[in-house]
Amino acid sequence: MKKILLIMAFLSTLFGAKAQELTNINILTVSEFNQQTLNNDVQLIDVRTEKEFNEGAIEGARNMDFLQQESFIKQIEKLDKNRPVYLYCRSGNRSHQAAEQLKNMGFDTVYDLEGGYSLWSAKK
C-alpha cells in the first residue's frame, strides 16, 4: 500500500509539473510574489470583485473583476502581452482561471499568487 501511495504521489507531481509547464502559468508563493512585485513597475491585477478589492488589496494592484467577463476582457486587452502579468484573487481559484484565459489570449508570462489575497494578508 505504501508503495502504491508513493507511486501515485510521484505521478501526480510529474504530471502536475508537466501541466503547469505546458500552460506556462507560474505559481508564486507569497514571499516570491511580494519580492517580484514590491517596488517594481509590474502589471499587477486583482481579479476579485470591486467590493472585495475595496476591503483590502495589494498596493499598486488594479482591479479587473474576472466575474464581469465582458469588462474583464476589455481591460485585459489593454495590457502589454509581452510584459509579465501578476494575478491574484481571494484564494487562487479565479486568478488561476484568469491566468489560463490570459495565456489563451497570447500573454507571454503570467504569475499567479498561491493561496490568493487571503494567504498574502495572513502573512503580512
Side-chain angles (χ1 to χ4, degrees):
M1 184 63 156
K2 198 174 191 180
K3 231 179 199 181
I4 292 172
L5 290 175
L6 287 172
I7 291 170
M8 288 175 64
F10 172 75
L11 290 174
S12 175
T13 302
L14 178 68
F15 290 114
K18 286 290 184 196
Q20 185 173 341
E21 187 179 294
L22 290 174
T23 61
N24 197 26
I25 297 168
N26 304 289
I27 310 297
L28 299 178
T29 64
V30 169
S31 173
E32 293 166 332
F33 196 87
N34 193 42
Q35 182 181 18
Q36 291 186 31
T37 60
L38 190 64
N39 299 321
N40 291 317
D41 180 27
V42 298
Q43 299 183 109
L44 177 58
I45 310 301
D46 181 325
V47 301
R48 298 175 301 157
T49 65
E50 183 179 6
K51 181 181 184 297
E52 289 172 302
F53 182 79
N54 290 335
E55 291 172 353
I58 297 174
E59 188 175 337
R62 291 189 284 174
N63 183 225
M64 298 181 187
D65 186 347
F66 178 72
L67 300 177
Q68 302 296 321
Q69 273 295 292
E70 188 175 321
S71 172
F72 178 76
I73 290 169
K74 285 180 184 175
Q75 292 176 76
I76 290 299
E77 287 174 339
K78 294 177 183 173
L79 297 176
D80 184 346
K81 291 182 178 183
N82 299 311
R83 288 180 54 215
V85 177
Y86 293 80
L87 301 172
Y88 71 92
C89 65
R90 182 177 44 88
S91 64
N93 185 35
R94 281 176 283 179
S95 58
H96 185 75
Q97 291 176 52
E100 288 179 352
Q101 188 168 5
L102 266 66
K103 292 305 295 182
N104 290 335
M105 292 172 70
F107 283 81
D108 290 336
T109 309
V110 180
Y111 295 98
D112 186 11
L113 174 58
E114 179 181 48
Y117 185 74
S118 296
L119 188 58
W120 185 87
S121 62
K123 294 205 174 191
K124 282 300 189 181

